[in-house]
Amino acid sequence: MTQGNVKLERSPYPYTGQVVIERAATQPNVCDARVKIELRNLGLYYENFKALEDINLHIMCNSITAIIGPSGCGKSTALRSLNRMNELIEGARVEGKVIMDGENIYERDYRVVRLRKRVGMVFQRPNPFPKSIYDNIAFGPRLFGVRERNILDCIIEESLRRAALWDEVKDKLRDSALTLSGGQQQRLCIARVLSVQPEVILLDEPCAALDPIATQRIEDLLSELKNEYTIVTVTHNMQQAARISDFTAFFMIENQGEPGRIVEFGETSKIFTNPDDERTEEYITGRFG
Amino acid sequence: MKAGRADRIATIVFWSIGLVSMAILAFIILEIFGRGLVTAVSPSFFAGQPATNQAGGGVGPMIVSSLYLAALTMLISLPVSIGAAIYMAEYAREGKFNNFIRFCLDSLATLPSIVFGIFGLTLFVVTFKWSYCLLAGAFTLALLNLPILLRGAEESIKQVPQTYREASMSLGANRWITIKKVVLPSAMPGVITGTVLPIGRIMGEAAAVIYTTGLFIRAIPLSPFDPAAPLAGYIWYAQTEATVPDYRQIVNGGAAILLILVFLINFSARRFARFYAKRKQLEVKL
Ligand SMILES: Nc1ncnc2c1ncn2[C@@H]1O[C@H](COP(=O)(O)OP(=O)(O)OP(=O)(O)O)[C@@H](O)[C@H]1O
Ligand SMILES: [Mg+2]
């Protein structure tokens, strides 16, 4: 299905149509080979423990960037630093810069709320609110002042359709989101992120709690969504990284107690076929074998 | 073999302990109802006016006093304790100061209620010149119940999974909106069931109310500044001071009514919490 932008522009719904126009005016959505986010010498501390050091990374528009590496090397930490979710953790401190569309998001007067609207996040465990399916997705738009019932209805249908969940839930939008299966819940969480029309979507091992079929659906979804969004995903599944991502960053901790660093970053095809660093090769092949 | 036997013995022991505590409860209930239920259910008693020196007086104004007092107390203490619990669970950094507050609250919770009674008497009744009235009693009981309510609310708020907060914040909600829209609705059933114990305590409290609300009234209290005579206090008064010949009957009937009221409140609070959870589609065990 090559819906993507085409479908959006033909969308009969006032809300999405309006957003498309707004976006086109401010920033062309399709921006091949353009850097969306740049991490410059990013370091991150939890209290006195340094979890990340010297992270330099370019995240390209309309691509999927995969972050891989052994457990505890700081993948989730790096991901959370992209929408400042690490600020919810007491004692977390950042140094360096994260530049999105030319602005450092850690600048003192940068507005976190707007940042989080632009950079949505999907978590490892599906975490729908204990509310109805409808209210789960309406949560974001309501935050930003959308009140009209018919507009909300449109957003909800649109978001659910794009998250490939609409057909399964269209008759029970008022049911609790907690009655859905794990895979459905995760797609609901993706729909919830889509509902606020973000530019970047961060996913932290989105398929870790899912079975192969649900995983397949999410992968298809991500490949489709990348036409409109910039996607960064953490994964432990090498095949998944190889299948869906355009760029791959390999994180690692050299020695116990040291911060995580980037060993290698580049196009996925290169990382997986002909990596520069032998540690990358070891990790990838170790996981394959 | 041996483990199996130990297991069997443990089962029997715990089962018996459970049975004994149930038996004690049943005994108390039967004893009180046996003595007072007949009096309690007669309209001239539960709806009647109290008498001053002849037999046949009722406890109507006292029941109203008890319910009124409980409602006023909750009205005062719930917002305060929920607010403070939000602060402690969501805003305050865990550390010395928070622990110090908890220590103070726990100490407050262990103070004998007579101390609160005397405090209420000197502050509200005398210093504020409210004289004996519902409001003085309500404030006193609010102080008395603040620790339990606050700790209960704090626990309920802390039990709301962190993932809800993360989801909300990651969508761009700020802290307050997250609390209002996500955390509080999820914590509410717990908070509601957490009020059951304090309400029971308010209804049963005699020592703190006899110094603050008054002991004997004939008119049903309407304004919060009216004097009142909550049932528990009146039972104490009838037993020790009253001049009516049928004071034993009043005491027994009053005790039965008190028990019924507490059961009813307990039951309806649970039902309400469950209803609320269901309407909000929360998954909670009650
Ligand atoms: N909230 C926290 N407080 C203190 N230290 C933390 C916190 N979260 C993570 N860390 C530490 O930071 C380091 C990186 O953690 P992180 O969760 O980013 O790893 P990860 O690569 O995502 O691991 P996994 O693959 O197991 O999810 C670990 O050493 C971890 O112990
Ligand atoms: Mg992780």
Side-chain angles (χ1 to χ4, degrees):
Chain A
M1 293 205 289
T2 51
Q3 293 175 335
N5 282 331
V6 183
K7 177 167 184 291
L8 250 183
E9 274 151 18
R10 274 201 271 111
S11 166
Y13 307 125
Y15 176 77
T16 39
Q18 181 191 334
V19 169
V20 168
I21 293 162
E22 264 177 24
R23 267 216 200 150
T26 52
Q27 36 179 218
N29 208 23
V30 180
C31 43
D32 286 299
R34 227 192 76 194
V35 177
K36 182 74 182 170
I37 303 176
E38 182 187 348
L39 284 72
R40 233 182 252 169
N41 296 327
L42 184 80
L44 197 141
Y45 294 85
Y46 290 115
E47 304 284 355
N48 294 320
F49 170 69
K50 192 162 194 186
L52 286 177
E53 187 175 76
D54 260 344
I55 305 296
N56 288 289
L57 208 60
H58 289 94
I59 292 164
M60 301 295 179
C61 275
N62 299 103
S63 70
I64 299 182
T65 303
I67 298 179
I68 61 171
S71 187
C73 66
K75 304 181 294 295
S76 303
T77 303
L79 199 70
R80 280 200 301 265
S81 70
L82 299 182
N83 66 347
R84 290 176 58 172
M85 282 298 281
N86 47 27
E87 287 174 4
L88 302 194
I89 298 165
E90 246 175 62
R93 196 155 48 80
V94 168
E95 58 182 28
K97 289 181 179 173
V98 174
I99 295 163
M100 181 159 116
D101 293 334
E103 278 180 287
N104 180 11
I105 65 169
Y106 283 98
E107 210 61 65
R108 199 172 286 279
D109 53 359
Y110 199 91
R111 285 182 50 212
V112 185
V113 166
R114 241 185 78 66
L115 172 70
R116 299 220 177 109
K117 182 189 176 299
R118 292 171 65 190
V119 184
M121 189 160 203
V122 176
F123 297 81
Q124 174 170 346
R125 301 224 148 259
N127 59 351
F129 298 120
K131 300 171 185 283
S132 69
I133 294 169
Y134 188 97
D135 286 338
N136 258 278
I137 299 175
F139 186 88
R142 280 183 182 141
L143 274 184
F144 298 101
V146 181
R147 287 274 173 276
E148 297 82 351
R149 191 49 199 268
N150 55 340
I151 297 183
L152 278 176
D153 287 349
C154 294
I155 295 173
I156 280 147
E157 177 170 351
E158 185 85 24
S159 308
L160 282 170
R161 274 189 196 285
R162 278 201 267 173
L165 188 61
W166 174 251
D167 291 331
E168 286 156 74
V169 301
K170 62 169 182 261
D171 299 322
K172 49 175 186 176
L173 292 175
R174 291 287 156 198
D175 286 10
S176 168
L178 302 179
T179 60
L180 298 175
S181 74
Q184 289 175 325
Q185 287 189 7
Q186 197 60 303
R187 275 177 285 148
L188 181 76
C189 291
I190 293 175
R192 190 171 63 184
V193 164
L194 298 181
S195 72
V196 292
Q197 301 271 349
E199 295 156 34
V200 181
I201 302 176
L202 311 174
L203 303 103
D204 194 350
E205 298 181 49
C207 303
L210 306 183
D211 65 45
I213 294 172
T215 300
Q216 180 67 48
R217 300 205 65 159
I218 305 264
E219 284 183 13
D220 293 347
L221 183 59
L222 293 184
S223 306
E224 201 177 299
L225 289 175
K226 89 174 180 187
N227 297 322
E228 292 167 62
Y229 303 90
T230 301
I231 295 174
V232 185
T233 175
V234 171
T235 178
H236 273 277
N237 181 331
M238 293 306 110
Q239 288 99 321
Q240 183 173 67
R243 268 195 307 265
I244 64 170
S245 73
D246 303 297
F247 299 92
T248 299
F250 173 50
F251 281 56
M252 205 173 99
I253 295 182
E254 218 107 351
N255 298 301
Q256 196 63 41
E258 279 185 26
R261 291 193 183 83
I262 292 189
V263 173
E264 194 166 350
F265 170 62
E267 294 201 8
T268 300
S269 52
K270 173 146 180 2
I271 297 263
F272 275 84
T273 53
N274 182 23
D276 288 333
D277 199 295
E278 62 185 46
R279 289 168 298 178
T280 314
E281 178 149 22
E282 269 170 33
Y283 180 73
I284 291 170
T285 51
R287 283 306 174 108
F288 270 134
Chain B
M1 197 51 200
K2 230 177 151 190
R5 217 175 117 189
D7 187 42
R8 233 182 348 262
I9 292 174
T11 309
I12 293 171
V13 168
F14 292 128
W15 191 77
S16 328
I17 293 173
L19 201 70
V20 168
S21 47
M22 252 166 63
I24 294 174
L25 181 67
F27 174 73
I28 294 175
I29 292 172
L30 286 178
E31 175 74 15
I32 289 175
F33 280 169
R35 287 169 189 269
L37 196 57
V38 177
T39 319
V41 296
S42 85
S44 67
F45 184 71
F46 72 74
Q49 280 213 333
T52 39
N53 46 27
Q54 76 276 32
V59 293
M62 283 70 190
I63 295 177
V64 175
S65 295
S66 279
L67 295 173
Y68 201 157
L69 183 68
L72 263 186
T73 307
M74 282 299 155
L75 213 63
I76 296 165
S77 52
L78 261 186
V80 175
S81 51
I82 291 178
I86 290 173
Y87 172 76
M88 290 189 57
E90 299 285 325
Y91 287 97
R93 285 168 152 263
E94 275 314 311
K96 285 218 174 83
F97 183 62
N98 243 10
N99 286 336
F100 179 67
I101 294 180
R102 283 203 192 96
F103 171 75
C104 293
L105 285 170
D106 290 345
S107 312
L108 206 60
T110 54
L111 279 188
S113 49
I114 188 90
V115 175
F116 285 94
I118 301 292
F119 175 79
L121 176 71
T122 43
L123 186 67
F124 305 119
V125 178
V126 178
T127 311
F128 288 2
K129 297 197 173 66
W130 290 353
S131 80
Y132 293 109
C133 67
L134 277 169
L135 202 61
F139 270 104
T140 307
L141 289 178
L143 286 175
L144 184 83
N145 277 307
L146 202 63
I148 322 183
L149 276 175
L150 205 161
R151 292 299 293 270
E154 193 191 350
E155 284 313 307
S156 310
I157 290 173
K158 284 202 163 152
Q159 271 175 18
V160 175
Q162 191 61 25
T163 58
Y164 294 174
R165 296 184 184 86
E166 282 177 352
S168 168
M169 305 279 277
S170 77
L171 285 165
N174 61 27
R175 231 183 196 165
W176 171 236
I177 292 183
T178 300
I179 291 170
K180 202 169 66 174
K181 295 263 154 91
V182 179
V183 177
L184 278 187
S186 310
M188 228 41 205
V191 174
I192 294 167
T193 41
T195 62
V196 167
L197 220 60
I199 290 182
R201 203 172 161 198
I202 294 167
M203 304 285 290
E205 184 58 51
V209 300
I210 54 182
Y211 290 111
T212 49
T213 62
L215 279 173
F216 185 86
I217 49 167
R218 290 184 60 83
I220 287 178
L222 296 174
S223 140
F225 287 101
D226 284 347
L231 200 50
Y234 183 65
I235 292 174
W236 174 83
Y237 171 74
Q239 172 73 25
T240 53
E241 312 253 312
T243 48
V244 288
D246 62 342
Y247 72 92
R248 282 234 139 259
Q249 229 185 331
I250 292 178
V251 168
N252 290 332
I257 288 183
L258 209 50
L259 205 58
I260 294 171
L261 284 181
V262 171
F263 278 151
L264 278 180
I265 287 171
N266 200 325
F267 179 74
S268 41
R270 268 164 208 279
R271 285 304 286 268
F272 181 69
R274 204 169 299 165
F275 166 79
Y276 180 92
K278 197 160 184 187
R279 215 192 52 171
K280 295 270 171 182
Q281 299 175 322
L282 300 169
E283 263 183 4
V284 281
K285 290 196 194 81
L286 294 174

